[in-house]
Amino acid sequence: QVTELVLDNCRSSNGEIEGLNDSFKELQFLSMANVELTSLAKLPTLSKLRKLELSDNVISGGLEVLAERCPNLTYLNLSGNKIKDLGTVEALQNLKNLKSLDLFNCEITNLEDYRDSIFELLQQITYLDGFDQEDNEAPDSEDDDDEGDEDDDDDENEAGPPGEYEEEDDEDDGASDLGEGEEEEEVGLSYLMKEEIQDEEDDDDYVEGGDEEEEAEGIRGEKRKREPEDEGEEEED
């Protein structure tokens, strides 16, 4: 059931890694970097293998085995090996699904028109040493897989780590609570004092208003009393 196997820095014996055999039928990714591999002759048949990492070994030829044992390879990393000429790489023409080939730090990269020659020889590949023919960088498949997760993380982390900000918010809330409390007390006292002053003024106004009304009523009463008397006097005259 294993689909990915990393054996980097293990030590091969007589061109093979002990335990690596045909039983890994579901294997899609195999990495054997820096295992002192000299040949691929004993590579097991891995029909579902799509990515093979063989960097920093001492492989100098025999690449035709890959098309026989791993026919569905799309990515092959042979950087840091002893590959010197185009004839050795020509054996990869039978890997019809191969899209990316890495020969970085191999002697073959010193050849004149190295990149043009490889792209012409292996017309099925899109990327050589991480770049296409127009020098556009190859996308990182791992980054592609994680894009969705990264977007989610970015959304969550736009305002920074939630823990830190929660603590800061708590502190701010505490400080603001104290400040608000003090302000409320101050506002409350001043407000009450203003109310008392206004009440007193209102009472005074009310009293004054009442006196004026009483005086006005008294004058009217006197007029009413005088009027009949005056009428009587006028009649006598």
Side-chain angles (χ1 to χ4, degrees), residues 212 214-226:
E212 287 176 0
E214 286 175 2
E215 287 175 3
E217 286 178 0
I219 292 168
R220 288 192 200 104
E222 286 177 2
K223 283 182 179 179
R224 288 196 193 103
K225 288 177 183 177
R226 287 175 186 170

Side-chain angles (χ1 to χ4, degrees), residues 57-70:
N57 285 293
V58 284
I59 299 167
S60 58
L63 301 183
E64 60 277 355
V65 173
L66 292 172
E68 298 170 11
R69 314 275 174 86
C70 311

